[in-house]
Amino acid sequence: MNQNERAEYLAQTYADAILRLSYSYLKNTHDAQDICQSVFVKLLTEPREFDSPAHERAYVLRMAANACKDLLKSPWRRRTCDLAACAEVPAPELAAVNRLPAHYRAVIYLFYYEGYQASEIGEILGIPTATVHTRLARGRTRLKELLGGYGYEQTV
């Protein structure tokens, strides 16, 4: 069987099963389609011999499940969210953040808008984690002053 015939066979035989399984893990159609494509690419670039059609099906579905699990535990996925969910996260008004001194602005931006933890921000900026915590606290204090007092602290 040549490469085109193999791709056609895989798509007709396993596409629906992979998509359904991937969607059950990821709850996102686009991510499920990406997993399906990556499984097919791997199957086409690393061909294997199987004892039976049942063994082949089990192998393909296990590849899809593992790819979904890898995606779910990836650092990128943990730090990002869809646009609707991110809109609900309370973050300081960007105009006020832009009025802060640069060293406060950087940590506030990375923490609230990019979702990094203090230790990650320290690595990115090349400063100790304790300094990040201090700058976050002082930046929040300055933001309270810029935004009009203590009622603002409940939204951050």
Side-chain angles (χ1 to χ4, degrees):
M1 185 179 306
N2 69 27
Q3 192 78 349
N4 288 341
E5 291 171 345
R6 177 87 176 135
E8 186 69 28
Y9 164 76
L10 289 171
Q12 288 180 357
T13 308
Y14 300 114
D16 288 338
I18 293 171
L19 282 172
R20 283 193 303 264
L21 177 66
S22 299
Y23 186 81
S24 72
Y25 272 98
L26 305 171
K27 307 290 189 254
N28 182 315
T29 305
H30 297 292
D31 287 341
Q33 290 170 342
D34 289 344
I35 293 295
C36 187
Q37 183 177 9
S38 67
V39 167
F40 286 147
V41 166
K42 191 167 186 176
L43 286 169
L44 291 171
T45 57
E46 302 171 11
R48 297 184 182 266
E49 296 295 323
F50 298 100
D51 297 335
S52 66
H55 180 243
E56 181 180 47
R57 181 176 180 82
Y59 181 81
V60 169
L61 293 177
R62 173 54 49 201
M63 281 181 66
N66 288 340
C68 291
K69 290 174 186 176
D70 289 344
L71 181 63
L72 288 171
K73 68 182 178 183
S74 74
W76 177 84
R77 178 113 175 165
R78 280 185 263 143
R79 284 195 288 252
T80 60
C81 61
D82 65 21
L83 192 55
C86 287
E88 297 171 5
V89 174
E93 295 179 30
L94 193 54
V97 173
N98 286 335
R99 295 191 336 230
L100 292 173
H103 56 283
Y104 296 147
R105 183 173 56 233
V107 295
I108 294 285
Y109 177 79
L110 290 172
F111 186 81
Y112 285 105
Y113 291 93
E114 296 298 326
Y116 288 103
Q117 300 298 316
S119 59
E120 297 169 318
I121 294 170
E123 289 176 21
I124 292 169
L125 299 177
I127 58 176
T129 304
T131 304
V132 173
H133 286 292
T134 301
R135 289 182 183 178
L136 279 169
R138 291 179 182 168
R140 287 183 193 117
T141 302
R142 292 251 181 125
L143 278 171
K144 280 187 233 178
E145 293 168 4
L146 289 171
L147 294 170
Y150 290 96
Y152 178 73
E153 68 190 357
Q154 295 166 351
T155 64
V156 236

